[in-house]
Amino acid sequence: MDEKDTDLGAFDPNIPEEGPSAPPPGWLDDIHGYQGHKGDDDNPLYPPPPAYTPQPELNRNTLVPNVRVPQVSEDVARDALLKFVESKWRYSSKPARNLTFKELKPITVYRYRLETYTETRTSAWQFEPYSGQVVDGPQCGMSPPPWDVPVSQPPIYTEMVEKVRVPHSSIVKVCHKCHGCGRTRCVACHGRGQVPLLSSLRLQDLLRLPWQPEPAAFYPAHGHLVCHHYTHSTSLLLHLSLSSAGVFCRKNNIADFIPDRQPDFPDKKFEKVRGDPFFSDENLLVYPIQGFPDQEICDVSSKMINEHLNRFSSTSRILQQRQTIELVPLTHVFYSYGGKDYSFFVYGLENKVFTTKYPSACVIL
């Protein structure tokens, strides 16, 4: 940088004003198989070709074995209630230790879960300064179609977002911001290297400046702060990157269902506890459950599988599906204390407790 560039108040009319960061329409070339990039911010989504889209087989269903509902003993129920009471500072443990059990009623609760592991691919132009590096452009061959670009293979059902450069898509262009000058004129100081303080510069203008001012940059004596020009390479290396907004994306889409048959127990509580997964079915596509004792589970299995197939197959590639049925323990415990009747629920493999009423509570007067 010469002396003229560093003097405060210097103005060089040959340096273009700072322009928009997005390239103008028509500035970018079309890459075969990746049409749709015209310099705006769109990220075309590429549906998988028909060969990548699995199709369900007709008249195929999945059988599920019967399962025995687990029993909760009085000792387990009492211990669970004591742990619950210990977490509530207003509750006394005396009723939990001395209550009299009347009935322990196990309730059959099934949780159905469908997981659909999908991959989506979009593309976006990526920019980097060009400094003489090797350019893998169209002269090296035709870019493969979006779904033929090789990508890494993470463990199944692991979500990831990753950028992958499309082979033979790189091109070199004169920078659209500086027009090959290597520098742009700051919009705040108009290329003079200094801007007024807040007395003459609106706060909203300051927030849009291309730098972050340090406290030492203020000079109240002459009412200005130093503004550094934004500089970069005169040329840019561009390449297409597969993306979901710039990347290819693998996602595990999960849907859960628990029949709502216990009005006194909030189903939301089941979301934070584990069940016993006594049935698991995994394949490229899974098929509706048939013959299970709980018909509602059969019905929701068919419904969710169809919903996932319709929702994801048109825009994404289905890599794998898995359906499971868990038996989530739930026991309604009835007891008496002090001549009155009460109840609570023990739920989940963790033996969590839910109750809306407890015999005694410490009251602060």
Side-chain angles (χ1 to χ4, degrees):
M1 184 177 291
D2 57 30
E3 183 178 355
K4 181 180 179 181
D5 294 325
T6 59
D7 289 339
L8 286 178
F11 175 77
D12 186 349
N14 295 318
I15 299 177
E17 289 189 358
E18 187 175 29
S21 58
W27 187 77
L28 295 172
D29 298 333
D30 266 338
I31 300 295
H32 180 74
Y34 296 84
Q35 284 77 9
H37 292 286
K38 300 297 184 182
D40 50 16
D41 292 331
D42 66 340
N43 301 106
L45 173 67
Y46 303 107
Y52 283 72
T53 305
Q55 297 297 321
E57 299 177 19
L58 296 177
N59 302 319
R60 179 172 173 182
N61 293 285
T62 300
L63 298 177
V64 179
N66 293 326
V67 63
R68 183 177 60 87
V69 179
Q71 299 285 335
V72 171
S73 67
E74 292 184 358
D75 289 341
V76 170
R78 191 186 304 274
D79 289 343
L81 185 60
L82 283 169
K83 290 180 181 179
F84 172 77
V85 169
E86 289 173 1
S87 67
K88 308 292 183 181
W89 67 271
R90 295 179 62 248
Y91 286 176
S92 167
S93 62
K94 182 178 179 181
R97 292 195 304 267
N98 299 300
L99 62 81
T100 300
F101 288 104
K102 300 182 68 176
E103 181 184 5
L104 281 75
K105 182 180 178 182
I107 302 169
T108 303
V109 178
Y110 297 114
R111 173 162 53 203
Y112 174 81
R113 172 172 294 168
L114 176 64
E115 300 172 78
T116 301
Y117 191 49
T118 62
E119 178 180 335
T120 58
R121 296 193 180 191
T122 66
S123 64
W125 283 106
Q126 303 293 315
F127 301 80
E128 64 182 78
Y130 177 66
S131 55
Q133 59 265 49
V134 175
V135 179
D136 178 21
Q139 73 278 3
C140 299
M142 184 178 293
S143 294
W147 285 92
D148 288 349
V149 176
V151 298
S152 58
Q153 300 294 328
I156 199 74
Y157 304 113
T158 301
E159 296 194 358
M160 67 173 296
V161 177
E162 184 177 341
K163 292 182 180 180
V164 176
R165 182 174 299 200
V166 176
H168 316 321
S169 67
S170 299
I171 55 176
V172 177
K173 288 274 191 177
V174 173
C175 176
H176 61 282
K177 290 191 67 177
C178 71
H179 306 293
C181 179
R183 292 174 293 167
T184 57
R185 194 188 311 161
C186 176
V187 294
C189 72
H190 304 290
R192 299 186 183 279
Q194 51 189 330
V195 296
L197 282 175
L198 290 178
S199 59
S200 59
L201 183 65
R202 293 180 303 170
L203 177 59
Q204 55 266 39
D205 292 331
L206 182 63
L207 295 176
R208 288 198 296 264
L209 295 181
W211 37 257
Q212 294 294 325
E214 299 291 339
F218 289 87
Y219 299 92
H222 40 80
H224 295 82
L225 53 84
V226 176
C227 172
H228 300 285
H229 289 295
Y230 173 74
T231 62
H232 52 69
S233 174
T234 61
S235 297
L236 296 177
L237 176 65
L238 291 72
H239 64 268
L240 277 175
S241 175
L242 285 179
S243 148
S244 172
V247 286
F248 82 90
C249 173
R250 288 188 172 175
K251 184 177 181 181
N252 195 26
N253 306 277
I254 302 176
D256 285 340
F257 173 80
I258 290 182
D260 184 10
R261 298 173 185 159
Q262 197 58 233
D264 297 329
F265 183 84
D267 291 338
K268 293 283 289 184
K269 294 289 184 180
F270 287 126
E271 296 178 1
K272 297 184 178 181
V273 295
R274 294 177 297 113
D276 178 19
F278 66 91
F279 169 79
S280 180
D281 175 35
E282 185 173 350
N283 213 322
L284 178 60
L285 290 180
V286 294
Y287 294 86
I289 291 172
Q290 185 182 47
F292 190 62
D294 191 327
Q295 182 59 40
E296 193 169 3
I297 294 294
C298 299
D299 295 340
V300 81
S301 168
S302 179
K303 178 184 176 182
M304 284 188 178
I305 289 172
N306 287 330
E307 286 178 351
H308 276 214
L309 187 63
N310 294 331
R311 186 192 315 169
F312 301 121
S313 61
S314 60
T315 59
S316 307
R317 179 185 180 187
I318 296 178
L319 302 175
Q320 192 85 348
Q321 283 189 316
R322 177 169 60 192
Q323 61 180 346
T324 57
I325 301 178
E326 292 178 294
L327 180 63
V328 185
L330 178 65
T331 300
H332 200 175
V333 180
F334 299 89
Y335 67 97
S336 62
Y337 180 79
K340 295 182 179 181
D341 293 335
Y342 302 89
S343 72
F344 64 93
F345 290 91
V346 181
Y347 64 100
L349 293 179
E350 299 86 348
N351 289 330
K352 297 285 187 178
V353 166
F354 169 76
T355 183
T356 57
K357 189 176 181 180
Y358 186 70
S360 70
C362 299
V363 179
I364 300 177
L365 300 178

